[in-house]
Amino acid sequence: MARVAVLVATVVLAFLTAATVTAKKWTVGDNKFWNPNINYTVWAQDKHFYLDDWLYFVYERNQYNVIEVNETNYISCNPNNPIANWSRGSGRDLVHLNVTRHYYLISGNGGGCYGGMKLDVLVEKSPPPPASSPVKNSARSSLTVSGFAHQFVIPVAVFAAIGTMWDKVLRLW
Ligand SMILES: *[C@@H]1O[C@H](CO)[C@@H](O)[C@H](O)[C@H]1NC(C)=O
Ligand SMILES: *[C@@H]1O[C@H](CO)[C@@H](O)[C@H](O)[C@H]1NC(C)=O
Ligand SMILES: *[C@@H]1O[C@H](CO)[C@@H](O)[C@H](O)[C@H]1NC(C)=O
Ligand SMILES: *[C@@H]1O[C@H](CO)[C@@H](O)[C@H](O)[C@H]1NC(C)=O
């Protein structure tokens, strides 16, 4: 039974570690998506974006797009010297935040940027483990907690069941 306990502890630890490093996929604008007349500065201001998180843009593909520009062109809504074109044509685009820096994203089409379709995201390095510092971001902490709960309960239940069966097998010998 000692070996089972060690096994359970190892699995729990592995899942705990996995839960704390889970990358988050942010739907830009939440249920309003990528549209004019939304203040994306307000949308982003209470969030922390960490390395390897994703931004998910959902929008009308014939009207808007997702263009990455530098800070100057972000301020002036100028899409003519893009750093990257994240649009793939379906109106459903993922931006992988794989570098710790500012990402300046605008819609270069249809006057979208002048209508507010501009997003400045600062990507931070991965968060410290929750135990060593208070988690400020409520969205992330709820994700981690619920992710943890599912990942925790299932393996513990499974390994407890295996442990019980194992004990019975050993007793038969
Ligand atoms: C969006 O909100 C920010 C922060 O409250 C504010 O500084 C900015 O002027 C707003 N932008 C627009 C276009 O209203
Ligand atoms: C952004 O690029 C423009 C050229 O398109 C350049 O004039 C400007 O200095 C750049 N701004 C920054 C902050 O790098
Ligand atoms: C961005 O790339 C898409 C898909 O390749 C293309 O359809 C679109 O015209 C490009 N947009 C710009 C502004 O380069
Ligand atoms: C980040 O992603 C971009 C675009 O997919 C890629 O060109 C670049 O090499 C990546 N950088 C790192 C550090 O992984």
Side-chain angles (χ1 to χ4, degrees):
M1 197 59 204
R3 284 169 67 181
V4 176
V6 170
L7 200 60
V8 170
T10 308
V11 168
V12 167
L13 204 67
F15 275 94
L16 254 175
T17 310
T20 59
V21 299
T22 303
K24 190 164 168 60
K25 186 175 112 177
W26 301 92
T27 300
V28 175
D30 297 318
N31 60 0
K32 293 177 178 166
F33 305 111
W34 186 229
N35 280 300
N37 305 316
I38 295 163
N39 189 325
Y40 291 98
T41 304
V42 171
W43 177 80
Q45 71 190 1
D46 62 345
K47 298 177 175 64
H48 283 276
F49 301 90
Y50 292 110
L51 193 62
D52 281 333
D53 280 0
W54 300 78
L55 296 177
Y56 183 47
F57 288 85
V58 178
Y59 58 95
E60 174 48 60
R61 66 194 172 113
N62 296 318
Q63 282 188 294
Y64 308 117
N65 60 14
V66 181
I67 299 293
E68 187 181 343
V69 295
N70 71 11
E71 187 182 7
T72 311
N73 292 325
Y74 167 84
I75 291 166
S76 62
C77 280
N78 176 5
N80 297 328
N81 296 289
I83 293 170
N85 169 14
W86 291 96
S87 308
R88 286 291 159 266
S90 66
R92 302 283 184 277
D93 297 316
L94 276 168
V95 175
H96 186 198
L97 304 172
N98 66 348
V99 182
T100 51
R101 61 172 171 84
H102 278 275
Y103 282 73
Y104 298 101
L105 298 149
I106 65 171
S107 174
N109 271 356
C113 185
Y114 298 108
M117 296 173 72
K118 55 197 299 186
L119 173 63
D120 167 7
V121 153
L122 174 60
V123 178
E124 305 167 50
K125 65 175 167 42
S126 303
S132 63
S133 92
V135 177
K136 292 201 186 84
N137 186 312
S138 59
R140 177 169 295 271
S141 81
S142 68
L143 173 94
T144 305
V145 169
S146 63
F148 165 74
H150 287 112
Q151 290 170 326
F152 178 82
V153 171
I154 294 166
V156 167
V158 167
F159 276 92
I162 290 173
T164 309
M165 285 191 292
W166 193 348
D167 269 3
K168 283 183 183 145
V169 170
L170 290 179
R171 246 178 253 129
L172 286 177
W173 282 349

